[in-house]
Amino acid sequence: MTILGQWVAACASDALEQEEAFRFDHEGRTFVIVRSPEGEYFAIDGHCSHEKVHLAGGIVDGHIIECPKHFGAFDYRSGEARRLPACIDLRSYDVKVESGMVFIRL
Ligand code: FES
């Protein structure tokens, strides 16, 4: 049986420019929310899967977020690891925008 998570407000939608990342912490977990060049929002786990470094400090380029420590890279739309030394995919989360707020489903 699939248990659907709850929608949690993460930030104001205008808090992020295109190709910008935002750190969101919730109940002991951490996430990174990214706004794409097309203006869509995505959310994945906040820590790089190589070492425990937060991705929100990394550069967003197109649909890629680069880890600030060793420059591993992830596709933030899916969480897929795209460049070594990061080789383990991150979990991605559903996102919606309502009333000027970005929500992620946890
Ligand atoms: S900590 Fe992210 S690539 Fe090493």
Side-chain angles (χ1 to χ4, degrees), residues 20-38:
E20 198 171 56
F22 177 83
R23 175 178 177 158
F24 173 61
D25 296 328
H26 181 74
E27 294 184 347
R29 297 165 68 193
T30 189
F31 309 90
V32 62
I33 297 168
V34 183
R35 190 171 181 189
S36 73
E38 297 81 18

Side-chain angles (χ1 to χ4, degrees), residues 64 66-67 70-74 80-87:
I64 295 294
E66 184 178 71
C67 175
H70 306 116
F71 312 113
F74 299 87
E80 181 187 356
R82 295 289 301 275
R83 186 168 65 228
L84 295 172
C87 56

